[in-house]
Amino acid sequence: MTTQTDGLMQDWALTADKILTSAAAQFPDTRIVVRREGGDIGRSNYAELEQNARRIAHALHNFGISGSDRVATLMWNNYHHLLTWYGVMGMGAVLHTLNPRLHSGQLAWIINDAKDRILVIEKGFTGLIGEIADKIPSVELILIATDDVDVAPIGNIPTKTLMEFAGGVSPDTVWGGFDENRAGSLCYTSGTTGNPKGVLYSHRSNFLHALVANQTNAFGLSAMDVVMPIVPMFHANAWGLPFIAPMAGAALVMPGSRLDGGSVLELIEQEGVTFTAGVPTVLQDVLRIITERGSAPETLRRIVIGGSAVSTDMVRAFDAFDIRVIHGWGMTEMSPLGAISMVLPDEAALGNEEKLARRCRQGRTVFGVEAKIVDEAGKVLPNDNKAAGALLVRGPAVVKRYFNHQKDAVDADGFFDTGDIAKIDEHGFIQLVDRSKDVIKSGGEWISSIALEDALCSHPSIRRAAALARSDEKWGERPIVILEVEDDDPLGTSDVIEHLRPLIPKWWLPDAVGFAQLPLGATGKIDKMKLRAMLDGSEGPELIPTVPVKKETA
Amino acid sequence: MTTQTDGLMQDWALTADKILTSAAAQFPDTRIVVRREGGDIGRSNYAELEQNARRIAHALHNFGISGSDRVATLMWNNYHHLLTWYGVMGMGAVLHTLNPRLHSGQLAWIINDAKDRILVIEKGFTGLIGEIADKIPSVELILIATDDVDVAPIGNIPTKTLMEFAGGVSPDTVWGGFDENRAGSLCYTSGTTGNPKGVLYSHRSNFLHALVANQTNAFGLSAMDVVMPIVPMFHANAWGLPFIAPMAGAALVMPGSRLDGGSVLELIEQEGVTFTAGVPTVLQDVLRIITERGSAPETLRRIVIGGSAVSTDMVRAFDAFDIRVIHGWGMTEMSPLGAISMVLPDEAALGNEEKLARRCRQGRTVFGVEAKIVDEAGKVLPNDNKAAGALLVRGPAVVKRYFNHQKDAVDADGFFDTGDIAKIDEHGFIQLVDRSKDVIKSGGEWISSIALEDALCSHPSIRRAAALARSDEKWGERPIVILEVEDDDPLGTSDVIEHLRPLIPKWWLPDAVGFAQLPLGATGKIDKMKLRAMLDGSEGPELIPTVPVKKETA
């Protein structure tokens, strides 16, 4: 047997069912606490979750769902979402998380691209789906997670309650037993260039991402932790936490739809949350409250903040309460964790400002993510915190090709271009300096400048439109738009807003509108760099504020 | 593309080269500190280690080593061992760690079974290899890790210094780029039944073991740690630490051959070690010294102890110095970590004795290890801390088949029988209660009772022999033997020892010899249970102490 080339260890596929089954065996009584739709608290544990997820798996199997079929969810972070998450993946189908913050037209586009066969929604989204029920022919059934006994069809699509669908079914069913390269979940990135793009995660990529993201250099969760994912499950897998928490035997606290600082804080204190993760907006609100009252939750030790930049003020303010803010960076295409502000042995020796500056960079890549910055010729640039280049990444949890695309999204060396421009310092801390595609990030969610411009240009009087980010204390960034209108065609800000309202989500509505002749580049496209310079200088148009729009949720 | 069954994420093989290359990129300056053979201290870092490991890889490639070829090492934990470890695995060949504590005859057997093409040894083992140089025909070259310029052939086998072999070679070479199921390393377990058995790890199994063993519930190492593996690299991969430390960016402190408590302690204090791991014997010696002087190393926080049972006294004594003893259990066949005394949220509420008892159990299985205890009919037994059964395990880093064996070592469900009899408590803590095969564990190393008995029976006057474990304060267990001799054939203890001396390692020599008619079981085999009862009662023979043998090293 001198030609024995392969190792002789066991075949053991890295599949999602094993994560939950392991938690049910090792941590059966560990808490899962959920803020339900009505605001009251529900309680379960990993043993129950596994049994009920198997029931969902069984019912899906009975319905005729099989490998590669997509089952979509439209839910906040709650128990039913976890159930569906594991029920769908556990039986080998694809769990597709939909973002309820999208405009119904975008939702329909995504559902059609994914050809979802079943939608699982919470009751509050019945109206949203009602708007598009006649435009999503692939959907054969809508399951509603509700305590109600009867539910009405939505449009012509039949509905059932989740309980009706799976409640009476045995948990003894198909569960795991497939290849780890099998597709496990699907998440669309609301891309900056045209249509959203689907990232089709494999069981392997999800599993390895969880193992890597939970190294002690990164999340480092253990059975001693109580974890609250504020970041939604439809937002890049809630950064892997629905996999990581059961893997580590950590208790899970799911905040449902109530993401205001007060509700989140109440749950943190009631349940002894030790670790939470979300975008800055919500956590800024939590910080405001604890600062006002002068006391922080006793158990809370770490907050991972991602989705947009973190301010040194925020880090410093949480430090004062002995709560460590850990800034992370990632993207849907990376499952999502790419980098995290890892603690290094030299940190104690750094000056305070230097330390804070480092901690507010996007962090060092986690083990299992290779990253480099390159110039326009593809030459690797040095890690000197000066050179800025396109940030390219490679790893087992990084996308190779988008769903339904015909070409790979990686270069000849297998690297994926993040679309970000970054610097890297001598210790490996990445700092994003620009986005290649001028996306606007509001409250941690992306607003596509191009989609916004397209909507504007559909108005007969608008010739050209440019959507730009303006920094905003509360939301990070908010969109403003500069319009070039047809000659002598009068157009007011309210006309613009009324035109946009049915076309885009409310929170995409621009905060200000300006009118100007837009500078064009060589290829006839709007030169945004020049436009920004005009706005910064004296040549820019007057920016007329629109009526402020309250964003429904963070 | 509705039939897209696989995910669309990147191919990224889990291979050992990536671990070191990642450390070289992310933690280039992180320390590797080594106690050299002369006792002085050598210093390097991950960037250098990677460059030099690539040189080894290149030189091996030039020599004609290729995939599936075995390169064996006979070394303590030092820099050259790390170099060879990654050099061999990085270029896709198989790194075979040999245990210098074995008797030369056993070493020869193992080298022949593995058909090692190259041996890399430290100078101190030249004599040991000299004894078998004419019995290991597969070995084409011996590389000696020494500062000497000239080295003489060993028997007819040519030798080179490691520097001569690889020092002048470029680091630009074949490095990774193969399948993760490729065999990466080989380690023989000094089995209790007949010949040693080789476990052929794959790159995948080593990689996943490292990710799993470094979850925060288990080792939880980070870039803030300074790690000293006291457990040798030839002993079940030093429990994965040569993979885990670079993965985590932890500094590595390698103690070389000086494993007495004083030398180990000196290095811990000089280098600020935070985490160490080894068998109880060495750490008992460290404990004795710090207890005598009344102070412990300031930086040391955690000690993982495995290889044999841990006493509550030891745990309590280290607790007093604010050093947490973490008991772990594993075996060569498990890469090796199986279970660890994980901290659970209820620990604070336990009474002191209850807490200590739990911490001295072998622990809960780590994520990625499925375990169950079964009765003789294969029925799963409850986790009630009462039922004892055969402990079976399954996972991605558990052996499927031994090297050169023709049959799998797993049952129809893919479970491997550990050969241990265990109980599991209601919280999942495993407690080993017996070894199926009556192995004797001295200083954390196994002594095969059967091999010892075979050696005894090769004496013409010995009819039957039984080797048993006797508990020993220093070594955990020591062998004693009971002999049934030919009628009227006088045999003294010194005759027995002189007969054994050339046949087995010195430290296998029994501490006492008794003479008796041995009780036989139904199948004609010695009934050891009955024999033990005889010895415990009044029917047993007198046990005559042999001349005490000093074990060379712990």
Side-chain angles (χ1 to χ4, degrees):
Chain A
M1 269 227 194
T2 49
T3 53
Q4 178 64 49
T5 306
D6 280 356
L8 289 166
M9 308 303 280
Q10 296 184 7
D11 305 316
W12 197 89
L14 310 178
T15 53
D17 56 288
K18 292 211 177 72
I19 295 176
L20 186 57
T21 295
S22 161
Q26 286 282 71
F27 306 100
D29 303 326
T30 296
R31 268 179 304 161
I32 300 171
V33 179
V34 186
R35 168 92 68 189
R36 289 147 55 97
E37 238 177 324
D40 59 320
I41 300 297
R43 293 181 181 279
S44 185
N45 59 42
Y46 285 122
E48 275 182 15
L49 181 69
E50 197 232 14
Q51 288 297 296
N52 288 328
R54 283 172 175 267
R55 287 193 170 90
I56 303 264
H58 199 166
L60 290 169
H61 180 72
N62 289 347
F63 184 83
I65 293 291
S66 64
S68 89
D69 284 348
R70 268 81 60 202
V71 175
T73 57
L74 193 67
M75 289 192 270
W76 297 106
N77 288 3
N78 59 35
Y79 184 70
H80 292 117
H81 207 168
L82 279 175
L83 269 189
T84 310
W85 178 281
Y86 278 104
V88 173
M89 285 191 239
M91 60 87 67
V94 178
L95 188 277
H96 174 199
T97 48
L98 291 167
N99 184 343
R101 289 170 182 157
L102 295 178
H103 184 260
S104 61
Q106 287 172 305
L107 271 182
W109 190 94
I110 290 172
I111 291 168
N112 287 326
D113 191 60
K115 295 203 171 44
D116 298 319
R117 290 188 61 195
I118 294 182
L119 297 188
V120 188
I121 69 173
E122 56 186 75
K123 203 181 157 193
F125 297 130
T126 310
L128 181 56
I129 294 299
E131 293 174 34
I132 54 170
D134 58 344
K135 301 190 187 90
I136 46 175
S138 66
V139 178
E140 302 163 40
L141 176 66
I142 296 174
L143 297 172
I144 305 180
T146 174
D147 292 336
D148 295 356
V149 179
D150 283 320
V151 285
I154 301 181
N156 287 320
I157 308 172
T159 59
K160 275 188 183 177
T161 69
L162 204 54
M163 178 58 88
E164 198 182 347
F165 181 68
V169 173
S170 145
D172 197 6
T173 184
V174 285
W175 187 250
F178 42 78
D179 190 90
E180 69 192 37
N181 292 307
R182 171 84 70 101
S185 50
L186 176 63
C187 185
Y188 280 74
T189 169
S190 21
T192 55
T193 48
N195 288 325
K197 289 184 280 216
V199 179
L200 188 66
Y201 306 106
S202 64
H203 281 262
R204 173 185 167 97
S205 69
N206 282 332
F207 200 109
L208 288 174
H209 177 270
L211 281 173
V212 158
N214 200 40
Q215 293 290 300
T216 304
N217 280 328
F219 295 170
L221 295 175
S222 79
M224 299 297 281
D225 280 299
V226 180
V227 177
M228 180 197 276
I230 298 175
V231 52
M233 290 161 78
F234 55 76
H235 191 157
N237 303 322
W239 304 347
L241 292 171
F243 296 117
I244 295 168
M247 188 176 258
L252 256 180
V253 179
M254 304 298 259
S257 63
R258 301 203 178 181
L259 298 179
D260 60 288
S263 301
V264 162
L265 194 57
E266 183 188 74
L267 211 47
I268 289 173
E269 298 196 306
Q270 273 174 16
E271 300 301 330
V273 167
T274 62
F275 176 103
T276 188
V279 296
T281 317
V282 179
L283 292 158
Q284 191 72 53
D285 206 23
V286 168
L287 178 61
R288 183 185 52 76
I289 299 174
I290 66 176
T291 305
E292 277 169 18
R293 70 181 204 193
S295 72
E298 273 180 35
T299 54
L300 187 62
R301 284 292 155 267
R302 294 184 298 152
I303 301 179
V304 172
I305 294 186
S308 53
V310 160
S311 70
T312 53
D313 284 352
M314 192 167 174
V315 171
R316 196 186 283 118
F318 273 115
D319 272 352
F321 290 105
D322 203 19
I323 297 170
R324 185 170 179 105
V325 168
I326 301 162
H327 187 30
W329 165 79
M331 53 199 308
T332 304
E333 287 90 338
M334 297 182 75
S335 300
L337 190 62
I340 200 155
S341 64
M342 197 182 286
V343 188
L344 292 185
D346 69 342
E347 187 180 291
L350 292 182
N352 233 358
E353 290 312 304
E354 205 180 344
K355 194 190 301 183
L356 279 170
R358 179 195 276 185
R359 288 178 59 194
C360 290
R361 290 183 190 135
Q362 276 66 43
R364 291 164 60 97
T365 53
V366 293
F367 177 77
V369 171
E370 301 174 60
K372 62 183 179 186
I373 48 172
V374 298
D375 66 14
E376 281 170 85
K379 207 191 93 200
V380 177
L381 297 170
N383 290 3
D384 59 5
N385 210 28
K386 284 175 201 151
L391 180 62
L392 309 188
V393 293
R394 195 165 66 174
V398 180
V399 73
K400 186 169 70 186
R401 177 184 292 202
Y402 290 106
F403 187 60
N404 282 344
H405 283 213
Q406 301 305 315
K407 275 165 60 178
D408 283 353
V410 296
D411 66 18
D413 296 325
F415 276 88
F416 170 76
D417 187 338
T418 63
D420 280 310
I421 305 298
K423 298 187 290 186
I424 305 182
D425 76 15
E426 53 275 22
H427 298 285
F429 285 81
I430 294 169
Q431 182 153 25
L432 303 187
V433 293
D434 203 357
R435 293 165 205 122
S436 319
K437 298 296 180 189
D438 300 308
V439 75
I440 301 154
K441 267 194 176 176
S442 176
E445 293 281 338
W446 285 13
I447 296 175
S448 161
S449 57
I450 291 169
L452 186 48
E453 287 158 9
D454 286 348
L456 287 161
C457 290
S458 69
H459 190 287
S461 305
I462 297 175
R463 196 186 289 155
R464 292 192 184 89
L468 298 174
R470 184 167 71 177
S471 21
D472 183 275
E473 203 171 79
K474 185 166 174 70
W475 303 110
E477 288 180 351
R478 292 289 303 148
I480 59 166
V481 297
I482 314 295
L483 308 177
E484 186 179 325
V485 294
E486 296 298 332
D487 294 341
D488 304 313
D489 211 347
L491 198 69
T493 58
S494 63
D495 299 319
V496 174
I497 297 299
E498 284 322 304
H499 170 73
L500 287 175
R501 208 180 284 281
L503 300 175
I504 57 168
K506 251 195 276 187
W507 58 281
W508 282 32
L509 293 173
D511 280 7
V513 179
F515 297 90
Q517 176 127 12
L518 290 169
L520 299 184
T523 59
K525 286 186 187 167
I526 297 165
D527 186 342
K528 283 196 178 173
M529 200 174 290
K530 198 164 178 187
L531 179 59
R532 284 198 192 93
M534 282 166 60
L535 288 166
D536 288 345
S538 56
E539 290 169 77
E542 185 199 356
L543 294 174
I544 308 154
T546 58
V547 179
V549 175
K550 194 182 164 296
K551 188 159 178 267
E552 297 93 325
T553 59
Chain B
M1 265 223 194
T2 50
T3 55
Q4 178 64 48
T5 306
D6 280 357
L8 288 167
M9 308 304 281
Q10 295 185 7
D11 304 318
W12 197 89
L14 309 178
T15 55
D17 56 288
K18 291 211 178 74
I19 295 176
L20 186 55
T21 295
S22 161
Q26 285 282 68
F27 306 100
D29 304 326
T30 295
R31 267 179 306 161
I32 300 171
V33 180
V34 186
R35 168 92 69 188
R36 288 147 57 96
E37 236 176 325
D40 59 321
I41 299 297
R43 293 181 181 280
S44 184
N45 59 41
Y46 284 122
E48 276 182 16
L49 182 70
E50 198 233 12
Q51 288 298 297
N52 289 328
R54 282 172 176 267
R55 288 194 169 88
I56 304 261
H58 199 167
L60 291 169
H61 180 72
N62 289 347
F63 184 85
I65 294 290
S66 64
S68 89
D69 283 349
R70 267 81 58 199
V71 175
T73 57
L74 194 66
M75 289 192 269
W76 298 108
N77 287 4
N78 59 34
Y79 184 69
H80 292 118
H81 206 167
L82 279 175
L83 270 188
T84 311
W85 179 280
Y86 278 105
V88 174
M89 284 190 239
M91 61 85 69
V94 178
L95 188 278
H96 174 198
T97 48
L98 291 167
N99 184 344
R101 288 170 183 157
L102 295 178
H103 183 259
S104 60
Q106 288 173 305
L107 270 183
W109 189 94
I110 289 173
I111 290 169
N112 287 326
D113 191 60
K115 296 202 168 48
D116 297 320
R117 290 188 60 193
I118 295 183
L119 296 188
V120 188
I121 70 173
E122 58 185 73
K123 203 181 158 193
F125 297 130
T126 310
L128 180 56
I129 293 301
E131 293 175 36
I132 55 169
D134 59 343
K135 300 190 188 89
I136 47 174
S138 67
V139 177
E140 301 162 41
L141 175 67
I142 296 175
L143 298 173
I144 305 180
T146 174
D147 292 337
D148 295 356
V149 179
D150 283 320
V151 286
I154 302 181
N156 288 320
I157 308 173
T159 58
K160 277 188 182 174
T161 68
L162 205 54
M163 179 58 87
E164 198 182 344
F165 182 68
V169 173
S170 144
D172 197 6
T173 183
V174 286
W175 188 250
F178 41 79
D179 191 90
E180 69 190 37
N181 292 306
R182 173 82 72 101
S185 51
L186 176 65
C187 184
Y188 281 73
T189 169
S190 21
T192 56
T193 49
N195 288 325
K197 288 181 282 216
V199 179
L200 189 65
Y201 305 106
S202 64
H203 281 262
R204 173 185 166 96
S205 70
N206 282 332
F207 200 110
L208 288 175
H209 177 270
L211 281 174
V212 158
N214 200 40
Q215 293 289 300
T216 305
N217 279 328
F219 295 171
L221 295 174
S222 79
M224 299 296 281
D225 280 299
V226 180
V227 177
M228 180 196 276
I230 299 175
V231 53
M233 289 161 76
F234 55 76
H235 190 155
N237 303 323
W239 303 348
L241 292 171
F243 295 117
I244 294 169
M247 189 176 259
L252 257 180
V253 179
M254 304 297 261
S257 64
R258 302 204 178 179
L259 298 179
D260 60 287
S263 301
V264 162
L265 194 56
E266 184 188 73
L267 212 47
I268 289 174
E269 297 194 309
Q270 274 174 14
E271 300 300 330
V273 168
T274 61
F275 177 102
T276 186
V279 296
T281 317
V282 179
L283 292 159
Q284 190 72 54
D285 207 21
V286 169
L287 178 60
R288 183 186 53 74
I289 299 172
I290 66 174
T291 304
E292 277 169 19
R293 70 180 204 193
S295 72
E298 271 179 36
T299 54
L300 188 62
R301 282 291 156 269
R302 295 184 298 151
I303 301 179
V304 172
I305 294 186
S308 53
V310 160
S311 70
T312 53
D313 284 353
M314 191 167 176
V315 171
R316 197 186 284 116
F318 273 115
D319 271 352
F321 291 104
D322 203 18
I323 296 170
R324 186 170 178 106
V325 169
I326 300 162
H327 187 30
W329 164 80
M331 54 199 307
T332 303
E333 288 90 337
M334 298 181 76
S335 301
L337 189 62
I340 199 153
S341 64
M342 196 183 287
V343 188
L344 292 185
D346 68 341
E347 188 179 290
L350 292 181
N352 232 359
E353 290 312 304
E354 204 180 343
K355 195 189 303 183
L356 279 170
R358 178 195 277 184
R359 288 180 55 194
C360 291
R361 290 182 190 137
Q362 277 65 42
R364 295 165 58 106
T365 53
V366 292
F367 177 76
V369 171
E370 301 174 59
K372 61 182 180 186
I373 49 173
V374 298
D375 65 16
E376 283 170 83
K379 205 191 93 199
V380 177
L381 297 169
N383 291 3
D384 59 5
N385 211 30
K386 285 173 199 151
L391 180 61
L392 309 187
V393 292
R394 195 164 66 173
V398 180
V399 72
K400 184 169 71 184
R401 177 184 292 201
Y402 291 105
F403 186 60
N404 283 344
H405 282 215
Q406 301 306 313
K407 275 164 59 177
D408 283 352
V410 295
D411 66 18
D413 296 324
F415 277 89
F416 171 75
D417 186 338
T418 64
D420 281 310
I421 305 298
K423 298 187 289 188
I424 305 182
D425 75 14
E426 54 275 23
H427 298 285
F429 286 81
I430 294 169
Q431 182 153 26
L432 302 186
V433 292
D434 203 356
R435 293 165 204 121
S436 319
K437 299 295 181 190
D438 299 308
V439 75
I440 300 155
K441 268 196 174 173
S442 177
E445 293 280 340
W446 284 14
I447 296 174
S448 161
S449 58
I450 291 169
L452 185 49
E453 288 157 8
D454 286 349
L456 288 160
C457 289
S458 69
H459 190 287
S461 304
I462 296 174
R463 196 187 287 155
R464 290 192 184 89
L468 299 174
R470 183 165 74 177
S471 25
D472 183 275
E473 203 172 79
K474 186 167 174 68
W475 301 111
E477 289 180 351
R478 291 291 303 147
I480 61 167
V481 298
I482 314 296
L483 307 176
E484 185 177 324
V485 294
E486 297 299 332
D487 296 341
D488 304 315
D489 212 345
L491 198 67
T493 58
S494 62
D495 300 319
V496 175
I497 296 299
E498 283 322 304
H499 169 74
L500 286 176
R501 208 179 283 281
L503 300 175
I504 57 169
K506 253 193 276 186
W507 59 280
W508 282 33
L509 293 172
D511 279 8
V513 179
F515 297 90
Q517 175 124 15
L518 290 169
L520 300 183
T523 59
K525 286 185 186 166
I526 297 164
D527 185 341
K528 284 196 177 173
M529 200 174 289
K530 199 164 176 184
L531 179 59
R532 285 199 191 94
M534 282 167 58
L535 289 166
D536 289 344
S538 56
E539 290 169 77
E542 185 198 355
L543 294 175
I544 308 155
T546 59
V547 179
V549 175
K550 193 184 162 297
K551 187 157 179 272
E552 298 92 326
T553 59

